[in-house]
Every structure is written in structure tokens, then in C-alpha cells.
Amino acid sequence: MRIRPATPEDFEAISAISDSVNLAHHQAVPGLFLHPADIGDCRKFWFDHLSGEDQLFLVADSGEGISGFITAKISENHQIPYFTADPICRIGTIAVSANQRRRGIGRKLMTAAEDWAREQGAREIHLAVMDFNKDAQSFYEAQGYGLLTRTLHKPLTESSG
């Protein structure tokens, strides 16, 4: 298993993995997540993650195909006066093919992102995980991540889904 930078040639595999994850999210929270059939072409979205020194986009490549990917970005607070301006790495997306999970691929992707974040001078890594996604929460906790904040929501209209 090789962790390497993503390329546009990887987008079809990345989209397939993303669609699988998005379907599970849509099924759990249909009022927030679109069904993969309703999303359309995401190549521009993924392409925008390829550029910039402050961004990371890696894939797990087995030689037989892409089995996972991770995106991350370095940001600094310069707007909110009561937060430090230290660089923080924010994980955008991490996903592993359903048939490749529990083989260490996610851990390798996270380790590569953490190494990159250190090289960029980041002081911490932040990520968001949906409350329904207990498997992901357990994965992150096993990697040493802990609860920092909670995002609460309240629907104001009936869901159309």
C-alpha cells in the first residue's frame, strides 16, 4: 500500500469511494446530505483540493486501484480575537472503500496527514465527524483524537426527504 499525492486520474476512484460514504451519510441524515445520484460531477471540487501549498490530497494506492483518500488544509485564525493565530490542520475528508476497511489504510492516511501538518508547522489537527458515525468516532479515538467541541442543530422546517 502506497500513500501518494492524488492526481486528476484518481478522481473516478475517489468519486466512487466518496459516493459510498455519501450514501451512508444521506441515509442517516437525508435533510443534510444529498443522495449520490443527485450530486452531479464533482471533478472541480476535487481538483480545487489539488492546488496550494497549504493543502494536502493523498490517496492510498494498492497498485490495483485507489482504496482511500484524505484531504487536509492548514489555516490560521486572523479574524477572531480570542483564538490564537497558530496554524491548525483541518482534515476535510477521509474515506476508505468499504471492502478495504480495518486493514490499516485509514491509519496510514491519518499518519501521513499528521506528518505533513507537522512539516507545515501546525500545532493541532481538527476534524469533524457526524454523531451517527460511531465507527469513525472509534477510529479517531484510537488514533488519539478527543472531543473538542460539539456542533448542535435544530431543523426549522420539515425534511423533504
Side-chain angles (χ1 to χ4, degrees), residues 4 18 27 59 61 68 105 113 123 125 128 144 151:
R4 63 166 177 79
S18 179
Q27 290 169 339
V59 295
D61 187 343
I105 296 167
R123 305 277 307 219
I125 293 186
T151 301

Side-chain angles (χ1 to χ4, degrees), residues 3 20-21 29 32 41 49 54 59 63-64 75 78 85 88 93 115 124 138 142 147 153:
I3 305 299
S20 172
V21 172
V29 192
L32 181 60
D41 187 354
H49 285 77
D54 64 342
V59 295
E64 298 177 11
S75 63
H78 295 288
I88 294 173
T93 302
D115 291 344
E124 294 186 345
S138 295
L147 185 63
H153 77 108

Side-chain angles (χ1 to χ4, degrees), residues 26 28-33 153 155-161:
H26 170 74
V29 192
L32 181 60
F33 291 94
H153 77 108
L156 298 176
T157 61
E158 291 294 318
S159 172
S160 60

Side-chain angles (χ1 to χ4, degrees), residues 7-93:
T7 67
E9 291 76 28
D10 301 321
F11 289 173
E12 185 174 334
I14 288 166
S15 291
I17 295 167
S18 179
D19 284 351
S20 172
V21 172
N22 286 344
L23 179 59
H25 283 67
H26 170 74
Q27 290 169 339
V29 192
L32 181 60
F33 291 94
L34 292 173
H35 187 281
D38 298 328
I39 294 173
D41 187 354
C42 291
R43 283 179 288 200
K44 181 180 178 342
F45 173 79
W46 296 121
F47 188 80
D48 288 346
H49 285 77
L50 289 178
S51 61
E53 293 179 17
D54 64 342
Q55 294 189 114
L56 178 73
F57 194 169
L58 300 174
V59 295
D61 187 343
S62 67
E64 298 177 11
I66 304 304
S67 55
F69 67 94
I70 191 167
T71 66
K73 184 174 178 71
I74 302 293
S75 63
E76 295 178 8
N77 170 57
H78 295 288
Q79 289 81 33
I80 303 172
Y82 48 87
F83 284 157
T84 67
D86 293 335
I88 294 173
C89 177
R90 297 184 189 281
I91 302 296
T93 302

Side-chain angles (χ1 to χ4, degrees), residues 82-83 88 90 124-131 137 141 145-153:
Y82 48 87
F83 284 157
I88 294 173
R90 297 184 189 281
E124 294 186 345
I125 293 186
H126 293 188
L127 58 85
V129 60
M130 298 303 291
D131 191 51
Q137 290 173 33
E141 289 168 1
Y145 289 78
L147 185 63
L148 177 64
T149 186
R150 289 186 189 264
T151 301
L152 304 178
H153 77 108

